[in-house]
Amino acid sequence: MRKREYIYMFVAVLLLGALVAVTVGWISELSRVNELQAEVNDLQKKEMRSSVMRSVSKQMEEIAFQQKAISDEQREEAIQQTHVANEMRRNSEIARQNAIEAEQNAHEQERKAVEASRVAENQRQIAEHQRLQAEFSKHVADTLSYIALGRSLGSLALTQYEAGNRTTAAQLTYASYMYTTRYDGDVYYPSVLQSLMRVSESKRRWTDHVGSVTALTFMPGQYSDLISVSTYGEVIKHVKDGNGIKAKPLLSDKGFDFRDVIIDKSSTIFALSRTGHLFICRKDEKRIVPLQGLLHPTALQIIDDRTLLIVGEKCMASFDVGSLKISDIRQTDIKVTCVSRFNGHPVLIDSKNRMHIVKSLKQIDVKQTAVMSGRITAYASSKSTGYEAYGLSDGTIMVVDRKGNVQKLLGHQSRVSHIKINGKQLYSSSYDGTLNLWMLDAPKIEPIHFISTGAWIMKFTFDNSKQRLWACDYSGAITEALISVPRMAQKVSSRVERNLTRDEWNYFIGENVPYENIKK
């Protein structure tokens, strides 16, 4: 029994071993089969890729054959195009050669055209130059003709004015001014200026003084208040009153002999009497200050804001305007012939024609004037233009410019009493009773008579507008004269009542002059 069991067990073990072996072999074979199957699959994939590659290669080959065919066609076409291009190049070269020849011909034609244009331009410029010369000559001729017409109309206007034909005189005077200014003529030409002065009636005369008026000046910053003094002890304030002036005496005492008057910045009036007294009027306060130690004082000047210079015979003094007293006196051995100003300082000119520039009584600069002979009685200078003018006792005026050139002006018949320079205009008064204007920039300087009084003109001054001039004379009169030419012309224009008729125009002005309206 036991043996059988062992046999059975042995057989079972064998069977089990065989089963394990079979199982292991099956598993191994199965693994091998799987590997082979994987290889087969891989080979199939490779075969498929190869097949695809062969298909793609075949397609690429077909495409290449197609491309080759196309390329052959394009090559043939390129060959044809090359033939066409070569033909076109040959044609282009021929056209280029033709274009070069045409360009050369065009350049030649252009050169000929430019040459012709240059010749034509030269001819045009010559013609234009001749035309401009002709126009200039005509303009010069017309200008000279119209300037001459303006001057002759001024003379005719004066004749008509003297004859009492005031309307015609105004018409002709304004026409004279119109043509003179339009053609840049000289409005200070005697006939033009005299007609403007006479017809505008711009000169007036007042006789409010009893004694000889020796000096006058305007209140600072005002156009109407004029202060004048006389040898009869009069100090008068003249105030505008409508078209005239109203006299307001500040002092009337014949015991004084006033020779000069000045007004400082505070509007204080200082009137100097040859008797050795100084009349002072400050607002409503008036006083007489005796000047001890001064012999026959005759001139006043301002040294600075606090000090006046008083000039007497062989002495001078400084006067303090604050204390109203003499602060210093200096004796001199010079004979003063003229007192004026130079570069903002008082200047005294002596009988030896030396200038004494007074900066203070302790500082006086002395230099020789440009006048070698004659007695200087009046002096003026202009810092802006550099002119200096010396009036002499014989009526001569010597003018020195910035370069030292000297001109001698003749026109006064007696002592030159006063001189003022306004830009390039010089005004001078004289004991011959005339006040003249001299144009210093004129080619030939000649006197233009502004005022004629028949009495010694002692001094003159301008108002603050520089449009009117005021002169005082030995007869006791004060004369006002308008010196602004445009203002004179305005006054004349306002007197023109009507235009000239055609007959009047042809008679006075001329048929060849285009008619114009004179009345504005």
Side-chain angles (χ1 to χ4, degrees):
M1 190 65 182
R2 188 172 299 270
K3 185 178 180 180
R4 184 183 290 180
E5 290 177 358
Y6 286 143
I7 293 170
Y8 285 150
M9 289 177 62
F10 179 75
V11 172
V13 169
L14 288 173
L15 288 173
L16 181 60
L19 180 60
V20 169
V22 170
T23 303
V24 170
W26 180 80
I27 291 172
S28 177
E29 190 65 25
L30 180 61
S31 175
R32 177 66 179 166
V33 168
N34 288 335
E35 289 178 359
L36 292 174
Q37 185 64 42
E39 290 178 0
V40 169
N41 291 338
D42 186 48
L43 290 173
Q44 285 178 346
K45 289 179 181 179
K46 289 181 178 180
E47 184 179 3
M48 287 179 65
R49 286 194 201 97
S50 177
S51 177
V52 170
M53 291 298 292
R54 286 195 301 273
S55 177
V56 170
S57 296
K58 186 175 182 181
Q59 290 178 359
M60 292 297 291
E61 183 179 2
E62 290 177 355
I63 291 172
F65 281 124
Q66 291 176 359
Q67 290 291 335
K68 181 177 179 298
I70 292 171
S71 177
D72 290 340
E73 291 177 359
Q74 289 179 343
R75 184 174 59 78
E76 289 297 329
E77 185 178 354
I79 292 171
Q80 292 297 326
Q81 288 180 350
T82 299
H83 290 306
V84 172
N86 289 335
E87 185 66 23
M88 291 179 67
R89 185 178 61 78
R90 285 192 294 271
N91 293 335
S92 176
E93 181 65 21
I94 294 172
R96 189 180 69 80
Q97 292 294 333
N98 292 336
I100 291 173
E101 293 178 1
E103 183 181 9
Q104 290 175 346
N105 291 333
H107 282 311
E108 182 64 20
Q109 294 299 323
E110 182 182 6
R111 186 187 66 77
K112 291 180 179 179
V114 169
E115 185 65 26
S117 174
R118 186 180 296 111
V119 172
E121 179 64 19
N122 289 338
Q123 294 297 323
R124 188 192 68 78
Q125 289 180 355
I126 292 171
E128 179 69 12
H129 180 67
Q130 292 174 343
R131 183 185 68 81
L132 291 175
Q133 279 188 325
E135 288 184 355
F136 178 75
S137 298
K138 182 179 182 300
H139 177 72
V140 170
D142 288 345
T143 298
L144 295 175
S145 175
Y146 280 110
I147 289 175
L149 175 62
R151 293 174 178 179
S152 65
L153 289 174
S155 299
L156 286 173
L158 287 171
T159 303
Q160 293 295 318
Y161 185 83
E162 295 297 334
N165 300 325
R166 303 300 171 86
T167 298
T168 304
Q171 293 168 329
L172 298 181
T173 297
Y174 194 77
S176 169
Y177 173 78
M178 180 178 69
Y179 286 121
T180 301
T181 54
R182 181 181 297 172
Y183 292 92
D184 297 325
D186 183 9
V187 293
Y188 290 95
Y189 189 80
S191 63
V192 179
L193 182 61
Q194 291 294 337
S195 65
L196 284 169
M197 292 179 63
R198 294 292 300 278
V199 177
S200 65
E201 296 179 350
S202 57
K203 184 172 70 174
R204 292 180 292 181
R205 186 174 172 86
W206 289 274
T207 55
D208 297 315
H209 282 279
V210 176
S212 301
V213 186
T214 53
L216 73 172
T217 187
F218 275 91
M219 297 289 287
Q222 297 186 21
Y223 295 91
S224 58
D225 292 357
L226 175 72
I227 308 298
S228 60
V229 297
S230 78
T231 57
Y232 205 69
E234 300 165 297
V235 180
I236 296 179
K237 182 178 182 179
H238 308 270
V239 181
K240 275 281 187 180
D241 183 19
N243 293 325
I245 58 174
K246 184 177 181 180
K248 295 183 177 180
L250 300 178
L251 177 70
S252 180
D253 186 340
K254 62 183 179 180
F256 297 109
D257 179 4
F258 290 110
R259 298 302 179 93
D260 205 357
V261 60
I262 61 172
I263 304 173
D264 67 7
K265 292 182 179 180
S266 66
S267 297
T268 302
I269 302 168
F270 299 90
L272 181 65
S273 173
R274 194 171 184 272
T275 59
H277 297 85
L278 189 65
F279 169 74
I280 302 171
C281 180
R282 180 177 290 166
K283 296 182 179 178
D284 295 330
E285 180 186 358
K286 302 175 185 178
R287 68 167 65 185
I288 301 291
V289 176
L291 304 173
Q292 301 295 334
L294 282 177
L295 178 64
H296 299 159
T298 55
L300 276 173
Q301 286 292 327
I302 294 176
I303 296 179
D304 54 45
D305 291 342
R306 290 192 53 83
T307 312
L308 300 181
L309 175 68
I310 305 175
V311 181
E313 289 185 5
K314 295 185 178 182
C315 64
M316 63 183 76
S318 57
F319 184 85
D320 187 282
V321 298
S323 63
L324 301 181
K325 294 179 180 179
I326 291 177
S327 56
D328 194 9
I329 294 180
R330 177 170 175 169
Q331 302 298 321
T332 65
D333 58 355
I334 63 173
K335 183 177 181 181
V336 177
T337 61
C338 170
V339 178
S340 185
R341 298 191 72 79
F342 176 77
N343 287 346
H345 301 291
V347 59
L348 283 60
I349 299 179
D350 64 22
S351 57
K352 295 181 181 179
N353 293 343
R354 294 175 300 183
M355 295 180 66
H356 302 260
I357 303 168
V358 181
K359 298 177 180 178
S360 70
L361 287 193
K362 293 180 174 58
Q363 184 181 0
I364 301 177
D365 299 335
V366 182
K367 70 174 186 176
Q368 189 67 40
T369 68
V371 180
M372 296 296 102
S373 62
R375 183 186 178 198
I376 299 174
T377 56
Y379 171 79
S381 64
S382 171
K383 192 173 183 180
S384 60
T385 61
Y387 284 113
E388 289 185 81
Y390 303 87
L392 306 184
S393 59
D394 63 357
T396 304
I397 298 175
M398 308 296 289
V399 178
V400 184
D401 65 16
R402 199 186 297 273
K403 296 180 180 179
N405 300 315
V406 180
Q407 292 191 75
K408 186 176 183 179
L409 309 184
L410 301 176
H412 288 298
Q413 304 301 315
S414 186
R415 167 178 172 159
V416 178
S417 58
H418 198 53
I419 294 177
K420 280 185 177 292
I421 299 176
N422 183 16
K424 293 184 178 180
Q425 298 176 345
L426 185 148
Y427 294 83
S428 63
S429 62
S430 170
Y431 280 7
D432 63 8
T434 62
L435 191 150
N436 292 339
L437 165 65
W438 312 77
M439 305 301 295
L440 298 180
D441 58 348
K444 184 179 181 182
I445 305 176
E446 295 182 342
I448 301 171
H449 296 291
F450 250 100
I451 295 175
S452 181
T453 63
W456 292 359
I457 297 179
M458 308 302 292
K459 281 188 179 179
F460 63 89
T461 188
F462 304 110
D463 66 8
N464 292 306
S465 68
K466 294 291 182 72
Q467 293 188 345
R468 295 181 182 274
L469 183 149
W470 299 72
C472 58
D473 62 45
Y474 200 72
S475 70
I478 294 176
T479 303
E480 173 201 8
L482 181 65
I483 60 175
S484 169
V485 172
R487 287 286 304 275
M488 293 182 199
Q490 289 178 0
K491 294 189 70 172
V492 171
S493 178
S494 67
R495 295 171 187 267
V496 177
E497 299 175 355
R498 61 175 179 82
N499 288 309
L500 291 168
T501 66
R502 292 283 180 173
D503 290 339
E504 290 172 334
W505 182 276
N506 294 338
Y507 179 77
F508 289 111
I509 298 179
E511 297 179 3
N512 296 327
V513 180
Y515 181 86
E516 293 185 51
N517 290 329
I518 302 298
K519 182 176 174 60
K520 301 299 180 182

